[in-house]
């Protein structure tokens, strides 16, 4: 039975996912290096970072740190660098923030920040006047022993009860002699090189895979490495399965499953490279993360494709033609969007629902057309099991919408990857050559009847041999008949 797979513009899948991932690319750098000019932006948010809850038994070494250098080539201009908690950042996220006066934007900051002259009652050490004097500590650093070596400034963040996002921003504002916030008249140009860490820089060896990372991505390195090892193991099992098939050619379903495992393993390897590098330099390898995520997305798309092909009768021997459209095999990165508060999230839900309905309808049709009762039962179990894989994304999206972004990334990473791994492992088991259900696959029934010849000469020789044997047999029969008649 022949199968025709019509997939229009397969490259569009990769292009769509590449654009999709770039748009939703998470800002991961905890070492921020760059230049800011007040002429371009009066206010600029440099970074967003999740600081962990401090350990009461070791508050000094478990708090958050922001340290580095902020220098300038200009003289006389003055601005401010602020570390702002998530609860006070809304005013700066407004599109009209650049048009509002400094006293309006910073009125809430004044209630929290400490400044020796104008804000003596503030309890938060969250601001530094910039630029700092060239080659010297910032003006507010009156205790040099508490400044990280090689830095002009060091800020400490304490979260006593719960982790929280903090924002690093610079503003062209200053406090005048009357302690009122005013906009800087002169242009400010500063060059910054800042580090944001969870824990003391002097004790980074205590938690190498958590120190450099924002709270939501802490310990993601261990997660990626464990998942990578699991896929290496299942990849070895799949290779062994292909070898045990003892077939002259690899079955198409095995080829597609091999490619799925290879892509996922490759993607996880790139993610491991990125997070391990990131744990040392605070920046990682952006291309490794980008292509790693693309590889994992393509693996998930192909897994969905394989399941729908099987539900359409591919390899079960019930369908002669299968028509597929690539727009139904675009997957998503749930951790980067609020799935119920964006049009992109709605599109993801619609695509996943269409995939689920397609799989359900096709597997139902396959069961109804099946004459063998035992095979129909097998197909029912197959459909019910993998239907859970299709719908888990929708349920996860609903749950994730109510989970804090500080916990969402790791939760979705673990659940989606483990679910994909479980689906792949089940397929490896079903395709195993000694599995009791292998006879339900068409290729396994007919494979022992097929001969794959090395070249046309061998084929001709084999055919001539058969003809020769047949002719000799006919001659012997004729002679025997004549002798008997005599």
């Amino acid at each position: 039975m022949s199968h025709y797979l019509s997939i229009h513009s397969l490259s569009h899948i990769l292009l769509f996912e590449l654009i999709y991932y770039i748009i939703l690319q998470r800002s991961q750098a905890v070492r921020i290096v760059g230049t800011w000019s007040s002429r371009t932006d009066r206010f600029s948010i440099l970074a967003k970072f999740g600081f962990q809850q401090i350990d009461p038994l070791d508050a000094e070494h478990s708090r958050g740190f922001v340290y580095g250098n902020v220098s300038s080539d200009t003289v006389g201009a003055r601005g401010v660098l602020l570390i702002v908690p998530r609860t006070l950042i809304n005013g700066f996220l407004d599109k009209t923030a650049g048009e509002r006066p400094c006293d309006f934007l910073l009125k809430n900051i004044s209630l929290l920040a400490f400044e020796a002259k104008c804000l003596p009652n503030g309890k938060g050490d969250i601001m530094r006047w910039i630029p700092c004097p060239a080659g010297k500590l910032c003006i507010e650093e009156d205790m040099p022993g508490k400044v990280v070596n090689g830095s002009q400034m060091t800020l400490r963040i304490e979260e006593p009860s719960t982790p929280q996002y903090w924002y690093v921003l610079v503003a062209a504002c200053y406090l005048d002699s009357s302690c009122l916030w005013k906009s800087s008249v002169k242009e400010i140009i500063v060059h910054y090189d800042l580090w944001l860490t969870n824990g003391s820089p002097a004790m980074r060896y205590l938690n190498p895979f958590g120190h450099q990372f924002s709270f939501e991505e802490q310990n993601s390195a261990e997660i990626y490495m464990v998942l990578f090892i699991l896929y290496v193991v299942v990849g070895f099992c799949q290779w062994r399965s292909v070898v045990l098939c003892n077939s002259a050619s690899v079955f198409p379903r095995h080829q597609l499953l091999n490619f799925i495992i290879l892509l996922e393993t490759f993607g996880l390897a790139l993610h491991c490279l990125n997070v391990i590098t990131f744990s040392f330099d605070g920046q990682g390898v952006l291309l490794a993360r980008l292509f790693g995520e693309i590889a994992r997305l393509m693996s998930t798309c192909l897994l969905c494709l394989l399941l729908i092909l099987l539900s359409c009768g591919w390899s079960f021997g019930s369908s002669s033609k299968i028509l597929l459209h690539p727009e139904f095999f675009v997957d998503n990165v749930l951790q980067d969007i609020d799935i119920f508060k964006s049009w992109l999230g709605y599109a993801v839900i619609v695509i996943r629902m269409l995939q689920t309905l397609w799989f359900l309808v096709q597997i139902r049709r396959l069961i109804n057309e099946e004459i063998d009762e035992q095979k129909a039962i097998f197909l029912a179990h197959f459909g019910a099991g993998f239907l859970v894989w299709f719908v888990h994304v929708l349920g996860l999206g609903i749950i994730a919408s109510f989970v804090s972004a500080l916990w969402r990334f790791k939760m979705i990473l673990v659940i989606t990857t483990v679910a994909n791994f479980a689906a792949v492992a089940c397929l490896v088991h079903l395709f195993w050559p000694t599995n009791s259900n292998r006879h339900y696959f068409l290729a396994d029934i007919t494979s022992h009847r097929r001969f794959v010849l090395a070249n046309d000469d061998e084929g001709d020789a084999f055919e001539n041999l058969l003809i020769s044997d047949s002719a000799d047999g006919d001659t012997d029969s004729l002679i025997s008949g004549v002798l008997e008649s005599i």
Side-chain angles (χ1 to χ4, degrees):
M1 183 178 294
S2 62
H3 301 275
Y4 300 92
L5 180 61
S6 176
I7 302 181
H8 305 290
S9 304
L10 184 59
S11 61
H12 291 174
I13 303 177
L14 181 59
L15 178 61
F16 181 89
E17 289 181 340
L18 177 61
I19 298 173
Y20 181 84
Y21 184 74
I22 290 175
I23 293 175
L24 297 177
Q25 171 67 21
R26 298 164 56 86
S27 176
Q28 186 183 219
V30 292
R31 184 185 182 186
I32 49 176
V33 181
T35 300
W36 169 69
S37 171
S38 62
R39 178 175 297 178
T40 305
D41 297 300
R42 289 180 59 235
F43 305 95
S44 179
I45 297 177
L46 304 182
K48 172 186 175 183
F49 193 77
F51 287 105
Q52 65 189 10
Q53 178 183 354
I54 63 171
D55 182 359
L57 300 179
D58 190 15
E60 177 61 29
H61 295 134
S62 61
R63 66 185 62 179
F65 282 75
V66 180
Y67 62 94
N69 302 302
V70 183
S71 58
S72 176
D73 299 328
T74 59
V75 179
R78 193 182 193 190
V80 63
L81 181 144
L82 297 165
I83 313 297
V84 183
R86 178 67 182 88
T87 53
L88 300 178
I89 196 63
N90 290 336
F92 296 94
L93 299 178
D94 195 328
K95 294 181 179 179
T96 61
E99 303 173 359
R100 294 181 177 179
C102 290
D103 58 345
F104 177 83
L105 286 174
L106 300 177
K107 61 181 179 181
N108 291 329
I109 305 297
S110 300
L111 301 176
L112 177 64
F114 171 82
E115 204 273 337
K117 179 181 177 182
C118 294
L119 305 172
N121 297 324
K123 296 182 179 180
D125 184 21
I126 62 171
M127 61 178 287
R128 292 290 185 271
W129 296 118
I130 57 173
C132 299
K136 299 180 181 179
L137 299 180
C138 293
I139 299 174
E140 294 77 16
E141 300 293 355
D142 53 357
M143 300 179 68
K146 290 190 174 182
V147 180
V148 175
N149 292 335
S151 301
Q152 293 179 297
M153 52 165 281
T154 299
L155 297 170
R156 292 169 172 80
I157 307 298
E158 291 191 10
E159 284 292 350
S161 57
T162 182
Q164 184 179 194
Y165 281 117
W166 287 68
Y167 294 77
V168 180
L169 62 89
V170 287
C173 300
Y174 69 97
L175 289 169
D176 63 8
S177 58
S178 301
C179 292
L180 298 176
W181 286 105
K182 299 293 183 180
S183 297
S184 301
V185 178
K186 294 183 178 180
E187 180 184 7
I188 307 171
I189 301 177
V190 295
H191 310 288
Y192 54 86
D193 184 356
L194 301 173
W195 291 77
L196 292 82
T197 65
N198 273 303
S200 171
M203 307 291 286
R204 59 182 300 173
Y205 59 87
L206 293 178
N207 187 12
F209 294 127
H211 177 77
Q212 297 277 24
F213 293 85
S214 180
F215 179 80
E216 76 277 8
E217 292 193 354
Q218 282 186 333
N219 305 117
S220 60
E222 292 97 322
I223 296 173
Y224 282 122
M225 286 188 284
V226 170
L227 293 171
F228 172 73
I229 293 172
L230 289 176
Y231 267 95
V232 169
V233 172
V234 80
F236 173 79
C237 294
Q238 173 61 12
W239 169 79
R240 184 61 179 166
S241 174
V242 173
V243 172
L244 291 177
C245 284
N246 197 24
S247 175
S249 61
V250 181
F251 300 141
R253 66 174 188 276
H254 278 293
Q255 294 177 359
L256 189 52
L257 185 56
N258 291 343
F259 198 52
I260 291 170
I261 296 174
L262 180 63
L263 276 175
E264 185 70 27
T265 306
F266 176 69
L268 289 172
L270 290 179
H271 274 294
C272 289
L273 172 64
N274 173 59
V275 293
I276 292 174
T277 305
F278 186 86
S279 65
F280 288 98
D281 66 5
Q283 292 182 316
V285 184
L286 179 60
L287 287 179
R289 179 169 186 166
L290 176 63
F291 288 108
E293 193 63 29
I294 290 175
R296 295 184 64 234
L297 288 172
M298 288 299 298
S299 174
T300 304
C301 292
L302 290 177
L303 177 57
C304 180
L305 173 63
L306 175 58
L307 292 175
I308 291 182
L309 283 172
L310 292 173
S311 72
C312 292
W314 186 57
S315 195
F316 286 120
S318 299
S319 298
S320 59
K321 185 174 182 179
I322 301 173
L323 180 64
L324 298 177
H325 299 280
E327 57 267 21
F328 293 112
F329 299 97
V330 178
D331 219 287
N332 60 296
V333 186
L334 286 178
Q335 62 266 25
D336 291 319
I337 60 174
D338 190 337
I339 197 168
F340 290 112
K341 294 183 180 179
S342 67
W343 287 107
L344 187 57
Y346 299 148
V348 168
I349 294 176
V350 171
I351 291 174
R352 177 60 70 168
M353 290 179 64
L354 289 174
Q355 292 172 341
T356 304
L357 290 174
W358 192 358
F359 177 82
L360 182 61
V361 170
Q362 290 297 331
I363 200 71
R364 181 66 179 174
R365 178 193 57 79
L366 200 61
I367 294 172
N368 291 337
E369 293 178 356
E370 184 55 51
I371 301 175
D372 186 350
E373 182 179 356
Q374 292 300 319
K375 185 175 180 180
I377 294 174
F378 165 74
L379 292 174
H381 291 165
F382 173 86
F386 286 103
L387 186 62
V388 175
W389 180 83
F390 274 99
V391 301
H392 89 278
V393 173
L394 181 59
L396 182 59
I398 296 174
I399 296 173
S401 298
F402 299 98
V403 175
S404 168
L406 289 164
W407 302 95
R408 187 184 305 156
F409 174 78
K410 284 182 285 191
M411 181 190 76
I412 293 180
L413 172 65
V414 171
I415 293 177
T416 54
T417 310
V418 170
N420 291 347
F421 173 79
V424 169
C426 288
L427 288 174
V428 171
H429 172 69
L430 289 175
F431 295 167
W432 194 263
T434 58
N435 187 280
S436 59
N437 298 312
R438 69 184 296 267
H439 60 279
Y440 294 135
F441 295 97
L442 179 66
D444 293 327
I445 298 174
T446 59
S447 61
H448 66 281
R449 302 175 185 172
R450 299 174 183 171
F451 290 93
V452 179
L453 302 177
N455 50 54
D456 293 339
D457 293 338
E458 291 183 3
D460 294 340
F462 183 70
E463 183 178 359
N464 292 333
L465 179 61
L466 292 177
I467 295 173
S468 176
D469 290 343
S470 178
D472 292 342
D474 293 341
T475 303
D476 293 341
S477 300
L478 179 60
I479 294 173
S480 299
V482 171
L483 291 176
E484 289 178 359
S485 62
I486 295 174

